Amino acid sequence: MKHKLTSLLMAILVTVSVCVPTFADDGGDASGDNCGEDYFWQLILRLWCGCGTRDEDAPENQEQPGEPEQPEQPQKPEPQEPEELPAANEPAEDTVSAYEREVARLVNIEREKAGLAPLELDAELSRVARMKSQDMHDRGYFDHNSPTYGTPYQLMKSQGVRYNVAGENIAMGYRTPEAVVSAWMVSPGHRANILKASYTKIGVGYVADGNYWTQHFIG
């Protein structure tokens, strides 16, 4: 019996002396073999009863986690057909195009130079002015009197426009707002309309095909 105990202690000492832990230089967790006091006592248990633990294995009877529930995925919205937009400088009904707005802006710059109040750009009056430009385009004429609507004042009244004073400027062939306003400003009659103090609102109608322009003024 004494011989067996001596052999056992010698085996333990040999194992412990061989299995020395190593550490990282930064003082972190040990790397390499997992030895030390725990290993020493586990080794005694292994030698005496043949049992021990293996950290890399999960216990046999440990309940395994089930499959995680998947969150309900939101339904993708059905694709909508894109709304058809009006072409450049071709405004939808009761709207004002960029070119028409620019004409009104340039007119107000000229009025400011003359010390006059700016004109309000009116969408309904612009719609009526656009009717005149479209009529000149469709009927092939260039005149203040329309074969369809009559005088500018008859056209405005037929569309429900109320006013105390009113005026109209027309032009054809000018491709940009800057060009048409410049042309009007060097013509005495057109300039007088643009700079009339009693006007408070302006409507601008532009038809790109042929570059037909109409300004309606009311006050």
Side-chain angles (χ1 to χ4, degrees):
M1 182 66 178
K2 183 177 179 180
H3 179 71
K4 290 183 178 180
L5 287 174
T6 301
S7 300
L8 174 61
L9 290 173
M10 290 296 293
I12 292 172
L13 291 173
V14 170
T15 305
V16 172
S17 65
V18 171
C19 191
V20 178
T22 58
F23 295 87
D25 292 338
D26 59 0
D29 294 336
S31 60
D33 295 333
N34 186 16
C35 300
E37 294 181 1
D38 289 343
Y39 185 87
F40 177 80
W41 291 111
Q42 288 179 23
L43 182 59
I44 294 176
L45 290 174
R46 286 177 185 274
L47 292 173
W48 279 101
C49 62
C51 62
T53 61
R54 300 179 61 185
D55 295 336
E56 65 270 24
D57 289 343
E60 295 181 2
N61 296 327
Q62 182 176 348
E63 183 179 354
Q64 299 298 319
E67 292 292 331
E69 294 183 3
Q70 298 296 326
E72 185 178 351
Q73 298 296 325
Q75 294 183 355
K76 294 182 178 180
E78 295 183 2
Q80 302 291 329
E81 292 185 5
E83 182 180 355
E84 186 175 350
L85 299 176
N89 299 317
E90 293 294 337
E93 187 176 359
D94 295 334
T95 63
V96 181
S97 74
Y99 265 24
E100 293 165 348
R101 290 183 183 278
E102 181 64 8
V103 165
R105 188 185 74 86
L106 294 173
V107 163
N108 280 331
I109 289 176
E110 296 299 333
R111 288 178 65 87
E112 183 180 6
K113 292 177 183 178
L116 299 171
L119 300 176
E120 176 188 347
L121 178 59
D122 187 276
E124 178 62 17
L125 195 58
S126 293
R127 182 186 68 82
V128 177
R130 200 175 304 119
M131 288 175 61
K132 176 61 177 287
S133 293
Q134 190 66 53
D135 189 55
M136 289 192 293
H137 169 273
D138 295 345
R139 301 294 294 268
Y141 71 94
F142 182 71
D143 195 280
H144 287 292
N145 293 319
S146 163
T148 307
Y149 304 112
T151 67
Y153 318 110
Q154 290 172 326
L155 170 59
M156 293 182 200
K157 288 180 179 178
S158 71
Q159 299 301 310
V161 177
R162 295 183 178 183
Y163 58 85
N164 294 319
V165 291
E168 178 184 81
N169 283 347
I170 58 175
M172 182 181 68
Y174 298 94
R175 296 184 177 181
T176 66
E178 292 80 8
V180 71
V181 172
S182 294
W184 279 328
M185 287 300 294
V186 297
S187 169
H190 297 91
R191 179 186 177 90
N193 270 341
I194 289 173
L195 299 181
K196 192 166 186 175
S198 58
Y199 291 151
T200 57
K201 293 183 179 182
I202 185 175
V204 183
Y206 172 63
V207 173
D209 184 20
N211 296 296
Y212 287 85
W213 306 83
T214 299
Q215 286 181 321
H216 279 170
F217 305 91
I218 62 172

PDB file of all heavy atoms in Angstrom, residues 97-116:
ATOM      1  N   SER A  97     -46.738  77.805 -64.179  1.00  0.00           N
ATOM      2  CA  SER A  97     -45.458  77.192 -64.535  1.00  0.00           C
ATOM      3  C   SER A  97     -44.290  78.058 -64.066  1.00  0.00           C
ATOM      4  O   SER A  97     -44.446  79.217 -63.685  1.00  0.00           O
ATOM      5  CB  SER A  97     -45.371  76.990 -66.051  1.00  0.00           C
ATOM      6  OG  SER A  97     -45.150  78.233 -66.694  1.00  0.00           O
ATOM      7  N   ALA A  98     -43.100  77.471 -64.134  1.00  0.00           N
ATOM      8  CA  ALA A  98     -41.892  78.190 -63.730  1.00  0.00           C
ATOM      9  C   ALA A  98     -41.658  79.413 -64.621  1.00  0.00           C
ATOM     10  O   ALA A  98     -41.258  80.481 -64.129  1.00  0.00           O
ATOM     11  CB  ALA A  98     -40.693  77.245 -63.782  1.00  0.00           C
ATOM     12  N   TYR A  99     -41.887  79.275 -65.918  1.00  0.00           N
ATOM     13  CA  TYR A  99     -41.707  80.409 -66.836  1.00  0.00           C
ATOM     14  C   TYR A  99     -42.693  81.535 -66.511  1.00  0.00           C
ATOM     15  O   TYR A  99     -42.343  82.716 -66.547  1.00  0.00           O
ATOM     16  CB  TYR A  99     -41.897  79.940 -68.275  1.00  0.00           C
ATOM     17  CG  TYR A  99     -40.609  79.573 -68.989  1.00  0.00           C
ATOM     18  CD1 TYR A  99     -39.484  79.189 -68.276  1.00  0.00           C
ATOM     19  CD2 TYR A  99     -40.525  79.620 -70.379  1.00  0.00           C
ATOM     20  CE1 TYR A  99     -38.309  78.850 -68.932  1.00  0.00           C
ATOM     21  CE2 TYR A  99     -39.354  79.280 -71.044  1.00  0.00           C
ATOM     22  CZ  TYR A  99     -38.248  78.901 -70.316  1.00  0.00           C
ATOM     23  OH  TYR A  99     -37.076  78.575 -70.953  1.00  0.00           O
ATOM     24  N   GLU A 100     -43.923  81.165 -66.215  1.00  0.00           N
ATOM     25  CA  GLU A 100     -44.932  82.177 -65.893  1.00  0.00           C
ATOM     26  C   GLU A 100     -44.595  82.893 -64.589  1.00  0.00           C
ATOM     27  O   GLU A 100     -44.754  84.117 -64.476  1.00  0.00           O
ATOM     28  CB  GLU A 100     -46.310  81.514 -65.824  1.00  0.00           C
ATOM     29  CG  GLU A 100     -46.785  81.013 -67.183  1.00  0.00           C
ATOM     30  CD  GLU A 100     -47.955  80.047 -67.102  1.00  0.00           C
ATOM     31  OE1 GLU A 100     -48.268  79.568 -65.983  1.00  0.00           O
ATOM     32  OE2 GLU A 100     -48.542  79.748 -68.165  1.00  0.00           O
ATOM     33  N   ARG A 101     -44.119  82.147 -63.607  1.00  0.00           N
ATOM     34  CA  ARG A 101     -43.705  82.763 -62.342  1.00  0.00           C
ATOM     35  C   ARG A 101     -42.528  83.715 -62.549  1.00  0.00           C
ATOM     36  O   ARG A 101     -42.445  84.768 -61.922  1.00  0.00           O
ATOM     37  CB  ARG A 101     -43.334  81.682 -61.326  1.00  0.00           C
ATOM     38  CG  ARG A 101     -44.522  80.878 -60.812  1.00  0.00           C
ATOM     39  CD  ARG A 101     -44.106  79.865 -59.757  1.00  0.00           C
ATOM     40  NE  ARG A 101     -45.230  79.064 -59.327  1.00  0.00           N
ATOM     41  CZ  ARG A 101     -46.121  79.441 -58.426  1.00  0.00           C
ATOM     42  NH1 ARG A 101     -45.998  80.636 -57.847  1.00  0.00           N
ATOM     43  NH2 ARG A 101     -47.133  78.657 -58.101  1.00  0.00           N
ATOM     44  N   GLU A 102     -41.615  83.328 -63.419  1.00  0.00           N
ATOM     45  CA  GLU A 102     -40.446  84.159 -63.660  1.00  0.00           C
ATOM     46  C   GLU A 102     -40.832  85.480 -64.324  1.00  0.00           C
ATOM     47  O   GLU A 102     -40.263  86.534 -64.000  1.00  0.00           O
ATOM     48  CB  GLU A 102     -39.432  83.408 -64.509  1.00  0.00           C
ATOM     49  CG  GLU A 102     -38.151  84.157 -64.821  1.00  0.00           C
ATOM     50  CD  GLU A 102     -37.322  84.473 -63.584  1.00  0.00           C
ATOM     51  OE1 GLU A 102     -37.661  83.991 -62.483  1.00  0.00           O
ATOM     52  OE2 GLU A 102     -36.325  85.219 -63.715  1.00  0.00           O
ATOM     53  N   VAL A 103     -41.794  85.424 -65.228  1.00  0.00           N
ATOM     54  CA  VAL A 103     -42.262  86.676 -65.846  1.00  0.00           C
ATOM     55  C   VAL A 103     -42.825  87.608 -64.778  1.00  0.00           C
ATOM     56  O   VAL A 103     -42.517  88.805 -64.756  1.00  0.00           O
ATOM     57  CB  VAL A 103     -43.319  86.378 -66.931  1.00  0.00           C
ATOM     58  CG1 VAL A 103     -44.059  87.659 -67.314  1.00  0.00           C
ATOM     59  CG2 VAL A 103     -42.674  85.759 -68.150  1.00  0.00           C
ATOM     60  N   ALA A 104     -43.640  87.068 -63.873  1.00  0.00           N
ATOM     61  CA  ALA A 104     -44.212  87.891 -62.805  1.00  0.00           C
ATOM     62  C   ALA A 104     -43.106  88.452 -61.909  1.00  0.00           C
ATOM     63  O   ALA A 104     -43.168  89.621 -61.484  1.00  0.00           O
ATOM     64  CB  ALA A 104     -45.196  87.071 -61.986  1.00  0.00           C
ATOM     65  N   ARG A 105     -42.099  87.663 -61.644  1.00  0.00           N
ATOM     66  CA  ARG A 105     -41.000  88.141 -60.798  1.00  0.00           C
ATOM     67  C   ARG A 105     -40.248  89.299 -61.471  1.00  0.00           C
ATOM     68  O   ARG A 105     -39.926  90.307 -60.826  1.00  0.00           O
ATOM     69  CB  ARG A 105     -40.034  86.990 -60.509  1.00  0.00           C
ATOM     70  CG  ARG A 105     -38.956  87.310 -59.479  1.00  0.00           C
ATOM     71  CD  ARG A 105     -37.965  86.169 -59.343  1.00  0.00           C
ATOM     72  NE  ARG A 105     -37.062  86.107 -60.495  1.00  0.00           N
ATOM     73  CZ  ARG A 105     -35.939  86.814 -60.597  1.00  0.00           C
ATOM     74  NH1 ARG A 105     -35.582  87.670 -59.637  1.00  0.00           N
ATOM     75  NH2 ARG A 105     -35.163  86.694 -61.663  1.00  0.00           N
ATOM     76  N   LEU A 106     -39.988  89.146 -62.766  1.00  0.00           N
ATOM     77  CA  LEU A 106     -39.271  90.197 -63.493  1.00  0.00           C
ATOM     78  C   LEU A 106     -40.109  91.469 -63.596  1.00  0.00           C
ATOM     79  O   LEU A 106     -39.573  92.591 -63.530  1.00  0.00           O
ATOM     80  CB  LEU A 106     -38.893  89.683 -64.886  1.00  0.00           C
ATOM     81  CG  LEU A 106     -37.874  88.539 -64.915  1.00  0.00           C
ATOM     82  CD1 LEU A 106     -37.704  87.995 -66.330  1.00  0.00           C
ATOM     83  CD2 LEU A 106     -36.532  88.993 -64.361  1.00  0.00           C
ATOM     84  N   VAL A 107     -41.410  91.315 -63.735  1.00  0.00           N
ATOM     85  CA  VAL A 107     -42.300  92.478 -63.757  1.00  0.00           C
ATOM     86  C   VAL A 107     -42.217  93.230 -62.434  1.00  0.00           C
ATOM     87  O   VAL A 107     -42.135  94.476 -62.398  1.00  0.00           O
ATOM     88  CB  VAL A 107     -43.744  92.047 -64.066  1.00  0.00           C
ATOM     89  CG1 VAL A 107     -44.737  93.153 -63.691  1.00  0.00           C
ATOM     90  CG2 VAL A 107     -43.897  91.695 -65.536  1.00  0.00           C
ATOM     91  N   ASN A 108     -42.212  92.511 -61.339  1.00  0.00           N
ATOM     92  CA  ASN A 108     -42.159  93.165 -60.023  1.00  0.00           C
ATOM     93  C   ASN A 108     -40.810  93.835 -59.772  1.00  0.00           C
ATOM     94  O   ASN A 108     -40.731  94.825 -59.029  1.00  0.00           O
ATOM     95  CB  ASN A 108     -42.474  92.158 -58.920  1.00  0.00           C
ATOM     96  CG  ASN A 108     -43.976  91.922 -58.798  1.00  0.00           C
ATOM     97  OD1 ASN A 108     -44.781  92.807 -59.092  1.00  0.00           O
ATOM     98  ND2 ASN A 108     -44.357  90.734 -58.360  1.00  0.00           N
ATOM     99  N   ILE A 109     -39.752  93.316 -60.371  1.00  0.00           N
ATOM    100  CA  ILE A 109     -38.460  94.002 -60.281  1.00  0.00           C
ATOM    101  C   ILE A 109     -38.546  95.369 -60.960  1.00  0.00           C
ATOM    102  O   ILE A 109     -38.048  96.379 -60.436  1.00  0.00           O
ATOM    103  CB  ILE A 109     -37.350  93.136 -60.910  1.00  0.00           C
ATOM    104  CG1 ILE A 109     -37.064  91.924 -60.022  1.00  0.00           C
ATOM    105  CG2 ILE A 109     -36.084  93.961 -61.117  1.00  0.00           C
ATOM    106  CD1 ILE A 109     -36.044  90.963 -60.617  1.00  0.00           C
ATOM    107  N   GLU A 110     -39.185  95.407 -62.131  1.00  0.00           N
ATOM    108  CA  GLU A 110     -39.335  96.676 -62.844  1.00  0.00           C
ATOM    109  C   GLU A 110     -40.233  97.641 -62.070  1.00  0.00           C
ATOM    110  O   GLU A 110     -39.965  98.849 -62.024  1.00  0.00           O
ATOM    111  CB  GLU A 110     -39.915  96.424 -64.240  1.00  0.00           C
ATOM    112  CG  GLU A 110     -39.031  95.599 -65.161  1.00  0.00           C
ATOM    113  CD  GLU A 110     -37.683  96.261 -65.435  1.00  0.00           C
ATOM    114  OE1 GLU A 110     -37.599  97.523 -65.372  1.00  0.00           O
ATOM    115  OE2 GLU A 110     -36.712  95.527 -65.707  1.00  0.00           O
ATOM    116  N   ARG A 111     -41.273  97.121 -61.437  1.00  0.00           N
ATOM    117  CA  ARG A 111     -42.158  97.977 -60.642  1.00  0.00           C
ATOM    118  C   ARG A 111     -41.420  98.519 -59.410  1.00  0.00           C
ATOM    119  O   ARG A 111     -41.615  99.684 -59.027  1.00  0.00           O
ATOM    120  CB  ARG A 111     -43.409  97.202 -60.231  1.00  0.00           C
ATOM    121  CG  ARG A 111     -44.358  96.944 -61.391  1.00  0.00           C
ATOM    122  CD  ARG A 111     -45.562  96.119 -60.948  1.00  0.00           C
ATOM    123  NE  ARG A 111     -46.412  96.828 -59.995  1.00  0.00           N
ATOM    124  CZ  ARG A 111     -47.411  97.651 -60.326  1.00  0.00           C
ATOM    125  NH1 ARG A 111     -47.674  97.885 -61.620  1.00  0.00           N
ATOM    126  NH2 ARG A 111     -48.132  98.255 -59.397  1.00  0.00           N
ATOM    127  N   GLU A 112     -40.581  97.683 -58.814  1.00  0.00           N
ATOM    128  CA  GLU A 112     -39.812  98.143 -57.652  1.00  0.00           C
ATOM    129  C   GLU A 112     -38.861  99.273 -58.046  1.00  0.00           C
ATOM    130  O   GLU A 112     -38.697 100.256 -57.297  1.00  0.00           O
ATOM    131  CB  GLU A 112     -39.030  96.972 -57.062  1.00  0.00           C
ATOM    132  CG  GLU A 112     -38.258  97.337 -55.796  1.00  0.00           C
ATOM    133  CD  GLU A 112     -37.487  96.161 -55.234  1.00  0.00           C
ATOM    134  OE1 GLU A 112     -37.452  95.095 -55.886  1.00  0.00           O
ATOM    135  OE2 GLU A 112     -36.909  96.308 -54.141  1.00  0.00           O
ATOM    136  N   LYS A 113     -38.260  99.163 -59.226  1.00  0.00           N
ATOM    137  CA  LYS A 113     -37.376 100.234 -59.706  1.00  0.00           C
ATOM    138  C   LYS A 113     -38.131 101.554 -59.847  1.00  0.00           C
ATOM    139  O   LYS A 113     -37.553 102.638 -59.644  1.00  0.00           O
ATOM    140  CB  LYS A 113     -36.777  99.859 -61.053  1.00  0.00           C
ATOM    141  CG  LYS A 113     -35.789  98.707 -61.011  1.00  0.00           C
ATOM    142  CD  LYS A 113     -35.323  98.374 -62.425  1.00  0.00           C
ATOM    143  CE  LYS A 113     -34.389  97.185 -62.450  1.00  0.00           C
ATOM    144  NZ  LYS A 113     -33.986  96.843 -63.855  1.00  0.00           N
ATOM    145  N   ALA A 114     -39.418 101.436 -60.209  1.00  0.00           N
ATOM    146  CA  ALA A 114     -40.244 102.631 -60.402  1.00  0.00           C
ATOM    147  C   ALA A 114     -40.917 103.081 -59.111  1.00  0.00           C
ATOM    148  O   ALA A 114     -41.713 104.044 -59.133  1.00  0.00           O
ATOM    149  CB  ALA A 114     -41.302 102.363 -61.476  1.00  0.00           C
ATOM    150  N   GLY A 115     -40.629 102.427 -58.002  1.00  0.00           N
ATOM    151  CA  GLY A 115     -41.217 102.806 -56.724  1.00  0.00           C
ATOM    152  C   GLY A 115     -42.656 102.371 -56.559  1.00  0.00           C
ATOM    153  O   GLY A 115     -43.405 102.965 -55.770  1.00  0.00           O
ATOM    154  N   LEU A 116     -43.065 101.298 -57.295  1.00  0.00           N
ATOM    155  CA  LEU A 116     -44.445 100.819 -57.239  1.00  0.00           C
ATOM    156  C   LEU A 116     -44.546  99.535 -56.414  1.00  0.00           C
ATOM    157  O   LEU A 116     -43.572  98.792 -56.263  1.00  0.00           O
ATOM    158  CB  LEU A 116     -44.961 100.560 -58.655  1.00  0.00           C
ATOM    159  CG  LEU A 116     -45.000 101.773 -59.588  1.00  0.00           C
ATOM    160  CD1 LEU A 116     -45.321 101.332 -61.010  1.00  0.00           C
ATOM    161  CD2 LEU A 116     -46.020 102.791 -59.100  1.00  0.00           C
TER     162      LEU A 116
END
